[in-house]
Structures are given as C-alpha cells and as structure tokens.
Amino acid sequence: MKYTISDIARIANVSTASVSRVINNKDRGVGAETRERILKVIEELGYVPNLQARSIVMSETKTLGLIVPDITNPFFPQIVRSIVQHAALEGYTVFLADTGNDPQNEENCVRMMLEKRVDGLIFAPNGQENRVPLLCAQNNVPLVQIDRVAATDGACVTVDNRKGMCEATRLLIAHENKKIAFLGGPQGVSPTTQRYEGYREAMDEAGIKIHKAAVLYGEFSISSGISMTRSLAASGYRPTAIVAGNDLIAIGAVKALREMGLRVPEDCEVIGFDGIEMAEVIDPGISTMRQPVTEMAEEAVKMLVGMVTGKISGNRRIVFDPELVLRQSTRFQR
C-alpha cells in the first residue's frame, strides 16, 4: 500500500501541515514530541516522499533504478553496462547507486531512488536480511533482484549457483583430487550459500569427507583470496585443488599459491565463478563458471518493464545455467 501525508497525519493524530514541516525539515511550529511521533509513523509505514509530485503529476518518469553492492567488483560493471544498454532500447534511463557492501547505505540508496520516483528498481542485495522488498512494496514500485536474492518470493534473475559449483567440484574430483578447499565470499549472501551447497553436494556424492580447515569465508576480492589461501597453509591443510566463491578470490588464491612456491595447476588446481574478463587475461588464465551477464541483464530489464506496464506479474523467476570455461588454472583442458 502506498501511503500519503494524510495517512501519516491521521495515524500520528496531527495535522497534515505538521507532517509536511517534518518531512521538509522545517521544525518551526512542531514540538519535539510531535516530531518524534511523526518520524516513528513514517519509519513504520516505510513512507518515502514523492519529490517530483510536489511540482508536477506524472504517471511515469521513464527511469529505472539500479543498485549494486560493489562497483569495484568487475562483475558488476558488466551487469551495469548491459542493463543500461537494454534499458535504453526500452526507452528508459537508469539511475545507478553503489552501496559499498553497507546494509545501512543500501536502504538509503533505495529511499533516494524512490524519492526520484523511478518506475522500477533492479537490485543486487548485500545479504538476505534487508527491508528493500518491503519498502518497494509499500511504495508500489516494482522490484527485480539480480544475481543475489534477499526475498525468496519476488521477481529475480539469477544463475543456478548450486549446480554450477557442483559441476566445478565434480571436475576437480574427476582429476583425482580429494583434498579440495572451498574459499567462499561473505556468509549470508545467497551466492555464497548456494555455491557452498554445490561444493558439498559433489563432495558427498563422491564420498569425500570435507576437512574442517578446508572451508573458509571472506569477501569477494583478490585480497580475501590471498588471505584465505594463506590461512589454509597456516592451518597445515594442503589442498590439491581450490574452488573459489568468485573469480577475484580465485585470482588471489593463485597469487598466494605462487608466493608459497606452489605451481598452478600442477600442485594445486584453481577454479572460480562469474567469468569476468580479468580471469582470462592473467597468467595463468582462471578456469571459471561463467554467468551469462548479457542475457541476465536483458531478462531483468524486460521483466521490470513488463511489471511497470502491468504486462508481467511480480513473482516471475528466471534461473540461468552457468557455463564451464576451462583455462590454464586446471589440468586436462578440453
């Protein structure tokens, strides 16, 4: 339900003029207790002021919001570029926000997008606990989640992370590896959880016990890949293969292994996830489970525009299969 200033005034038992003063940061004539009561109602309702409606009434703005967790991760600029291109083909402009992996900033970015009256929002959440789906629902703004999923019952475009990591792990098992480490991203983020499940599935079906020291979690970054690989060595666990939560972690793992005097892939094979361009150009090239970024972006835009125009319901889910790409970081290339 989309709430108005009148709704807030009625619930807070104040005048609409008082609510307007608080929303516009004009406290003159509004007591401290009244102001706090109004702010509490605004927070509970998830109300976002309609800034453009103050000057003009419009049914559509022809703008979409796009919120990503980390623009420095090369995977997300690929997503952004494709979404902007496909949105333009549909006649929409895109507002971009980067949350910097900060949950509080995430909600602030969403509120900013809602204030700009975007027609719809494409969103890659930091984790699975946030108020973004609720805020969008309260303000009647269609939402499509991409890559990561916070709300399990909303529209989304993702890849089958579990299936992809299971395939990657099976490949390493087929190469006669039994000591396979999993270096994941942040816990609580849906790709990390699902990719670990895929790793565990492949290990279980092969009858390989997972060593406690073989599973580590960090960030989706090169530096985290380095530190986690060093932690493996410090624990005394020496894997012959590593499945990484993304390509950046895999790149960091290769760097750390080489610093230790180990050869890749002869002493330790490494495979990543995402399919970023950097994974192809470094030496050795990183084998990976590549996400179909262009297709994901196109489907996310089409789905959101369909929801905005009322042609598509808000519970459609599209799951792509990632593609195994073999390079020099694994043995026995095709």
Side-chain angles (χ1 to χ4, degrees):
M1 179 177 179
K2 199 163 187 175
Y3 295 98
T4 65
I5 289 179
S6 296
D7 294 323
I8 295 170
R10 175 176 50 79
I11 296 171
N13 195 26
V14 297
S15 67
T16 55
S18 295
V19 176
S20 179
R21 290 190 187 100
V22 171
I23 290 174
N24 289 285
N25 294 318
K26 296 179 180 179
D27 294 338
R28 188 175 178 181
V30 181
E33 183 180 344
T34 301
R35 182 177 184 277
E36 288 301 316
R37 188 163 71 251
I38 292 171
L39 289 174
K40 183 178 180 181
V41 172
I42 289 173
E43 175 67 21
E44 290 175 349
L45 298 181
Y47 173 79
V48 175
N50 187 339
L51 298 182
Q52 289 180 317
R54 294 170 187 170
S55 59
I56 187 171
V57 177
M58 299 174 63
S59 59
E60 285 188 38
T61 62
K62 283 295 182 180
T63 59
L64 303 176
L66 172 57
I67 300 177
V68 298
D70 183 9
I71 202 67
T72 64
N73 181 338
F75 174 73
F76 288 108
Q78 290 179 254
I79 286 277
V80 170
R81 180 176 57 194
S82 293
I83 286 175
V84 169
Q85 290 172 345
H86 289 295
L89 294 175
E90 298 284 347
Y92 287 80
T93 300
V94 176
F95 290 126
L96 172 65
D98 173 23
T99 67
N101 287 313
D102 183 341
Q104 182 57 51
N105 192 34
E106 184 174 75
E107 186 168 325
N108 293 337
C109 288
V110 173
R111 289 183 177 277
M112 178 268 291
M113 292 290 185
L114 296 178
E115 287 177 2
K116 289 182 177 293
R117 287 195 70 236
V118 295
D119 294 327
L121 187 65
I122 299 176
F123 171 56
N126 292 313
Q128 292 179 298
E129 297 294 332
N130 65 68
R131 284 166 33 90
V132 173
L134 176 62
L135 283 172
C136 289
Q138 288 174 333
N139 289 275
N140 288 337
V141 174
L143 172 69
V144 173
Q145 297 172 94
I146 191 166
D147 179 55
R148 306 176 180 186
V149 178
T152 57
D153 59 347
C156 68
V157 178
T158 64
V159 296
D160 194 330
N161 290 293
R162 178 171 181 152
K163 180 180 179 180
M165 191 57 85
C166 186
E167 182 179 350
T169 308
R170 284 172 178 163
L171 173 75
L172 297 175
I173 293 172
H175 291 182
E176 300 183 351
N177 292 291
K178 293 186 178 180
K179 298 180 69 177
I180 304 173
F182 174 85
L183 304 184
Q187 291 181 282
V189 176
S190 59
T192 298
T193 302
Q194 294 161 4
R195 290 169 193 176
Y196 171 74
E197 290 172 351
Y199 159 77
R200 185 181 61 188
E201 179 182 341
M203 297 288 276
D204 287 347
E205 71 183 16
I208 302 174
K209 184 178 180 180
I210 299 174
H211 195 284
K212 184 178 180 180
V215 178
L216 294 173
Y217 296 96
E219 301 296 328
F220 287 126
S221 66
I222 293 175
S223 61
S224 189
I226 293 172
S227 63
M228 284 190 285
T229 306
R230 288 173 177 169
S231 294
L232 284 176
S235 72
Y237 182 77
R238 181 65 63 86
T240 59
I242 292 173
V243 284
N246 76 343
D247 289 337
L248 294 179
I249 293 174
I251 291 169
V254 169
K255 179 176 173 58
L257 290 168
R258 285 182 152 186
E259 288 176 351
M260 298 171 194
L262 298 175
R263 299 168 300 165
V264 178
E266 293 84 357
D267 297 320
C268 186
E269 297 185 74
V270 178
I271 187 165
F273 210 109
D274 282 348
I276 62 174
E277 294 177 358
M278 188 189 305
E280 182 177 4
V281 299
I282 70 164
D283 182 28
I286 304 296
S287 293
T288 185
M289 299 302 301
R290 180 165 56 198
Q291 299 200 52
V293 172
T294 300
E295 291 85 350
M296 291 169 66
E298 181 177 8
E299 288 297 334
V301 171
K302 286 183 177 179
M303 187 187 300
L304 185 59
V305 171
M307 292 166 66
V308 168
T309 57
K311 297 177 181 178
I312 296 177
S313 66
N315 57 1
R316 188 179 177 195
R317 303 172 69 83
I318 298 177
V319 181
F320 287 91
D321 285 335
E323 176 193 3
L324 177 62
V325 179
L326 294 176
R327 300 193 181 106
Q328 294 76 30
S329 67
T330 52
R331 295 180 280 122
F332 312 124
Q333 298 166 53
R334 294 169 187 166

